[in-house]
Amino acid sequence: MKKPAIATGVGLGTAVFALIGVLVLFIAAVANGAAGHQEEQGAAGSQISMQGGQVSDIPPKMLALYRQAAPAACRRLDWSVLAAIGKVETDHARHPTMRSYAGAVGPMQFLPSTFKGYAYPVPPGGANPPSPWDATDAVYAAARMLCANGAKSGTRQGVYKAIYSYNHADWYVKKVLAQAKTYAASQPSGPDSNADVGSNAIVRAAYSQLGVPYVWGGGTINGPSGGGFDCSGLTSYAVYQGTGHKVVLPRTSQEQRHVGTSVPRDEMQPGDLIVFNKDGWGHVGVYAGGNRMIDAPRPGKSVEVVSLAGYWENYAWGVRRVG
């Protein structure tokens, strides 16, 4: 007796619908590929847990890149948005392959063809020629892409549109914004509520470099050099970037002690420089308000916000107002 055929449940109509479904998924993948990124089920970071999403979870090199690239490539883009995309896409380059099913690659998940449109100019420390696999190139390119697609407006609507352009899905935008909010709320050693970060551009410029490594002799008016900043390199950058008429400071803390106007210690304002003397005028930082200073301290450390109470009270101070 002939065995009955095994029922597959797939008739002609079902097959047609299945084919249509495949075509729809293909078109969606192409549409997202045009933006350079894919939907969650195909993205390299799709299996990444969002637990532990505090700033302390971000590798120092990536944190420094996010903080550098956001203001450098898109003045009104907050670094936390850029960092949130890095988290969602590849867990800050921790994903084992950093490849997606549709061909997006690298820490920020760019299609190579999309990356080319945002790769130049080559950022400080980037590869030459630039590559979507290089973390510096990828983060700067992501910031430029976001800027070109709405983030330059600085509005919530503009940021939403920019993130949507990165991956055409509302769930993706909401996920990124939620992660960015977590990062913004958990910034370590940030200026307290008394710091006038919102309106003082010198403070904002210095604050944008939190996490950048200390490098002796490092830093220019345009950003880190040699991989980081020293104390006077940071203040030179912050003052130049934070003053409308682009004040260029002398390069050393000893020379910066004479710039601008002398201010009594009890009249300090956010954005003032504090030069310290202990066996010589050898250190300088940016006053952040609330008895705190933004500082590139010493080898082995990174740009950070520190309290002026305790340790720094043992030094003689010279406060200078510039800009």
Side-chain angles (χ1 to χ4, degrees):
M1 179 176 168
K2 186 178 180 180
K3 293 183 179 180
I6 297 174
T8 64
V10 180
L12 178 59
T14 304
V16 169
F17 281 116
L19 177 60
I20 291 173
V22 170
L23 289 173
V24 168
L25 290 174
F26 174 78
I27 292 170
V30 171
N32 285 313
H37 304 85
Q38 292 71 47
E39 295 288 353
E40 183 175 20
Q41 57 264 38
S46 61
Q47 303 303 316
I48 292 171
S49 170
M50 296 303 288
Q51 295 179 354
Q54 305 294 306
V55 169
S56 58
D57 174 63
I58 305 175
K61 179 183 177 181
M62 295 301 293
L63 177 60
L65 281 175
Y66 298 136
R67 292 190 185 280
Q68 293 169 33
C74 191
R75 188 179 183 116
R76 294 187 178 181
L77 174 65
D78 193 278
W79 73 271
S80 63
V81 174
L82 200 55
I85 289 176
K87 174 67 175 179
V88 173
E89 293 289 349
T90 65
D91 194 20
H92 310 302
R94 294 188 182 103
H95 188 272
T97 67
M98 291 195 288
R99 291 181 182 272
S100 78
Y101 78 90
V105 299
M108 303 303 284
Q109 287 294 280
F110 272 103
L111 289 177
S113 57
T114 304
F115 173 78
K116 290 179 181 178
Y118 303 98
Y120 291 93
V122 177
N128 197 359
S131 165
W133 289 101
D134 182 84
T136 300
D137 293 336
V139 170
Y140 271 79
R144 291 174 186 139
M145 182 177 177
L146 292 167
C147 203
N149 287 283
K152 64 183 177 183
S153 70
T155 65
R156 182 173 179 81
Q157 182 179 6
V159 171
Y160 194 101
K161 179 182 176 183
I163 300 171
Y164 189 88
S165 76
Y166 211 87
N167 186 330
H168 298 169
D170 289 315
W171 64 261
Y172 179 87
V173 179
K174 293 174 182 177
K175 190 172 186 177
V176 168
L177 288 175
Q179 182 61 62
K181 184 177 180 180
T182 298
Y183 284 148
S186 64
Q187 297 181 81
S189 302
D192 64 19
S193 60
N194 294 320
D196 190 16
V197 176
S199 63
N200 188 277
I202 293 175
V203 174
R204 291 203 308 271
Y207 190 55
S208 73
Q209 302 305 305
L210 291 186
V212 176
Y214 178 94
V215 172
W216 187 84
T220 72
I221 58 174
N222 295 314
S225 65
F229 286 104
D230 65 8
C231 64
S232 55
L234 176 66
T235 53
S236 295
Y237 169 82
V239 168
Y240 182 81
Q241 298 295 331
T243 52
H245 49 292
K246 302 297 185 184
V247 173
V248 179
L249 296 181
R251 185 56 180 80
T252 68
S253 57
Q254 293 88 346
E255 295 171 312
Q256 290 181 9
R257 182 171 70 94
H258 301 291
V259 301
T261 304
S262 178
V263 176
R265 184 166 165 176
D266 59 359
E267 295 180 14
M268 286 192 305
Q269 296 178 7
D272 288 344
L273 303 184
I274 311 174
V275 189
F276 298 92
N277 183 356
K278 186 175 183 181
D279 301 324
W281 295 95
H283 197 75
V284 63
V286 176
Y287 183 56
N291 204 35
R292 292 188 174 190
M293 173 179 68
I294 306 172
D295 181 36
R298 62 183 182 275
K301 299 280 284 183
S302 299
V303 177
E304 60 185 358
V305 182
V306 298
S307 173
L308 288 167
Y311 177 79
W312 291 109
E313 292 178 338
N314 296 322
Y315 288 73
W317 295 17
V319 182
R320 311 298 299 189
R321 183 161 300 159
V322 296

